[in-house]
Amino acid sequence: MKWTCSVFLTVMGLGFGFAQQPEITIADFEGPNYGAWKVVGEAFGAGPAQGRLPGQMPVDGFRGKGLVNSFLGGDSSKGTLTSPPFKVERKYVEFLIGGGGWEEKTCINLVQEGKVVRTATGPNTQPGGSERLEPQQWEVGEFFGKEVLIQIVDQASGGWGHINIDQIVQTDRKLPGTTITRNATRSVLATRRYLNLPVKDGAAKRRMTLLANERAGRNFDIELADDTPDWWAYLDLAPFAGQQLTLQVDRLPENSAGLKSIDQTDQIKGSEDVYHERLRPQFHFTSRRGWLNDPNGLVFYEGEYHLFFQHNPYGWAWGNMHWGHAVSRDLVHWRELPIALYPDQHGTMYSGSAVVDWNNTAAFQTGDGPALVAMFTAAGEPFTQGLAFSNDRGRTWTKYPGNPVLPHLVGHNRDPKVIWHAPGKKWVMALYLDNDSYALFASPDLKQWEKLGGVTLAGDGECPEFFELPVDGNKRDTRWIFYGAKGLYLIGAFDGTNFVSESGPHELQRGNAWYASQTFNDIPAADGRRILIPWGRMTGHNAEVHRGMPFNQMMGLPVELKLITTDAGLRVMSSPVKELESLRAGVQHLKPQALRPGENPLAGLREELMEVTADIALADAAGISFNLRGVLVTYDVKNQELSCQNQKGSLKPLDGRIRLRLF
């Protein structure tokens, strides 16, 4: 007799279950080629990449040395990468993914019987995203025992037109929080001034949309914190006061508290600590929250210096380019105003300039006083140039409905610098084109532009500046200066149509925290100075200086430019503006004394903030160094060279003496 026994056990709360089976690796992409995977097109190359490819931002988050990276040849390349068939033997297929977030175009697909049954895209669709790979997985239990294959697709050619994939495995382990809610929403009634958004530095970027009357009022990428935030960004609700709003996030893990923790306040969350944070610069302008780079739209009007700047209000890193805005009456104490320019249908807001339209040439003026007009780059696809104007001293801005006023020309043409050329009674614009090429344009009304000619600035690119300086202060003898983002400049003549270089390129600066500088338009003639502010760019080993803070990057000190006759010919010189002297709360004078090795006449100073002016008679010294809280500034007497953090610049003594001014 054959016996059959069926036993049914119900065990409550003791956690009994079947043991998970080991993972099955589908592909780890550690070999020199793709093996049995089929390659079509050019995007994926002959084998896995070893990290980033030429022209790509740093790539991280992958395992081992290799990964699939379709950035080969840039975002324009296309192709597919298809696995051999395999049998589904676990509950989940898991992988690491990064790159573009274009559905059906930059994606990884699970294909069964010729149909796509599961798909996933990278996280990025906007400039400023991260190349970090993050884990995702599909639940595939319904296909258990069936044959499927993996297809990795790159059929996009614009921004983020690539896909990164690594470590594809079958597993029974469910990743926490990997069930993704698409277009998660929350309704908010705008009753307070600010919407506070939780940010986690390094988290996956998500696309957030603020909808007002069912129309998108704001769109931006944010590293939304699923749990405890590192800091709080803020969104100004003043334009939406009293309205019922909808917040939408494109993809949100099931266990995320990101939407729930957003709240409204009348003061910026954490505002009691703003400007008092441990690493907040004190001499240099910084934004209250988020990333800052290029100074934009420097203009003086009715006693105020306007400083606009490239700004990511919602993240510590570059991205979401807006025009931030601050004003000052003395170039030293700044007050940050609401954001001036938001991204629009033409793109994010890249660098540009601002002018006072004293003669109402653009017909934007609505009151007694002239309009302020900003010209900016709309960084969409393609890049174009547009206008915005203000009739309330720069407090609110309106985009010109006829934008763009200058269509795409070549490459990523950008960064218009506009000035008024009084002799020609016209506006002149310097514009970056591509590589080391720039161009000059002219307009009677800021709306219609004609090309005057080209300018080549070998070794530089981006962010042009163009202005006139007197030679040794003589206003009857002037030269025109043309320079780019790195500060390489040409000295020449300009007759309103043609710029003719007489010398250069020369170097305006030798520092390691100086880029994309701009000078102020419309400084009154009674003042007459040419005042410049650079971006105090933090790169290399300084890139993490502000890590852990709710802000990142800073502006350099404002300086006055002069064109001086030197032994080598005409050169542009800079010196800190006189207004910085207003910060001096007290002065200590050290009597003249000999300096000897091992002795430090400044050893007794304990002030936190100092400006040091040192007059040094070199005599027979080999060198002299200042140790500024661990940063050495050294003068080499023999080579007549000043150095700081691997940057060097010549400094010729005058009558055997040098003067150093250190902030």
Side-chain angles (χ1 to χ4, degrees), residues 415-441:
D415 312 330
K417 175 59 193 267
V418 178
I419 60 172
W420 176 251
H421 186 256
K425 298 182 179 180
K426 61 185 176 183
W427 299 101
V428 173
M429 171 179 62
L431 186 72
Y432 172 66
L433 298 180
D434 202 8
N435 297 318
D436 58 3
S437 296
Y438 302 77
L440 294 174
F441 297 80

Side-chain angles (χ1 to χ4, degrees), residues 466-527:
F466 191 50
F467 53 85
E468 191 175 19
L469 282 179
V471 176
D472 298 323
N474 182 0
K475 294 182 179 180
R476 293 186 298 274
D477 182 14
T478 65
R479 299 291 188 278
W480 284 81
I481 310 299
F482 190 104
Y483 73 72
K486 297 177 184 177
L488 295 179
Y489 66 92
L490 304 172
I491 301 175
F494 180 60
D495 61 5
T497 301
N498 300 302
F499 171 73
V500 179
S501 175
E502 298 173 354
S503 70
H506 309 294
E507 288 183 301
L508 180 57
Q509 60 84 35
R510 290 285 187 89
N512 66 352
W514 193 104
Y515 195 76
S517 70
Q518 192 172 114
T519 68
F520 280 91
N521 282 332
D522 294 284
I523 297 288
D527 182 324

Side-chain angles (χ1 to χ4, degrees), residues 50-72:
Q50 302 290 304
R52 65 182 292 188
L53 293 170
Q56 190 176 25
M57 294 188 297
V59 178
D60 61 3
F62 61 96
R63 296 182 191 171
K65 296 182 179 179
L67 78 156
V68 174
N69 185 345
S70 72
F71 194 76
L72 186 66

Side-chain angles (χ1 to χ4, degrees), residues 230-461:
D230 291 331
W231 55 280
W232 294 85
Y234 65 90
L235 190 154
D236 192 346
L237 290 178
F240 309 101
Q243 298 185 42
Q244 191 70 41
L245 308 173
T246 298
L247 296 175
Q248 179 176 291
V249 181
D250 63 345
R251 45 204 293 161
L252 203 63
E254 59 185 339
N255 61 348
S256 174
L259 264 179
K260 298 176 185 177
S261 60
I262 294 172
D263 70 346
Q264 294 186 64
T265 57
D266 286 323
Q267 298 294 326
I268 298 167
K269 200 160 189 173
S271 60
E272 64 275 9
D273 296 323
V274 174
Y275 306 125
H276 300 288
E277 299 93 343
R278 183 173 60 89
L279 298 179
R280 177 75 71 169
Q282 297 297 299
F283 291 123
H284 304 76
F285 174 80
T286 49
S287 58
R288 288 176 291 196
R289 292 286 186 264
W291 166 276
L292 166 158
N293 60 287
D294 304 2
N296 299 154
L298 301 193
V299 65
F300 182 88
Y301 180 62
E302 289 195 350
E304 289 182 323
Y305 297 92
H306 290 262
L307 166 64
F308 302 88
F309 51 92
Q310 292 286 278
H311 186 34
N312 180 3
Y314 313 113
W316 190 83
W318 184 93
N320 297 313
M321 285 296 100
H322 297 56
W323 270 33
H325 187 195
V327 293
S328 172
R329 290 191 172 274
D330 62 2
L331 291 166
V332 177
H333 303 89
W334 294 91
R335 178 165 60 96
E336 192 167 345
L337 299 179
I339 288 167
L341 301 180
Y342 288 87
D344 60 25
Q345 70 273 24
H346 299 294
T348 52
M349 298 290 98
Y350 272 27
S351 294
S353 53
V355 296
V356 182
D357 189 4
W358 295 102
N359 301 311
N360 196 26
T361 64
F364 291 146
Q365 181 177 329
T366 59
D368 295 333
L372 297 180
V373 183
M375 190 168 189
F376 56 85
T377 296
E381 290 294 341
F383 281 31
T384 57
Q385 318 308 316
L387 297 176
F389 59 92
S390 172
N391 280 291
D392 58 1
R393 297 171 47 246
R395 268 50 183 180
T396 59
W397 291 83
T398 302
K399 300 275 183 65
Y400 173 51
N403 286 337
V405 296
L406 190 65
H408 177 256
L409 300 173
V410 63
H412 282 171
N413 46 201
R414 59 184 181 271
D415 312 330
K417 175 59 193 267
V418 178
I419 60 172
W420 176 251
H421 186 256
K425 298 182 179 180
K426 61 185 176 183
W427 299 101
V428 173
M429 171 179 62
L431 186 72
Y432 172 66
L433 298 180
D434 202 8
N435 297 318
D436 58 3
S437 296
Y438 302 77
L440 294 174
F441 297 80
S443 171
D445 59 4
L446 293 167
K447 299 173 181 176
Q448 305 295 322
W449 294 90
E450 64 170 336
K451 186 176 180 180
L452 299 177
V455 179
T456 299
L457 187 54
D460 215 328

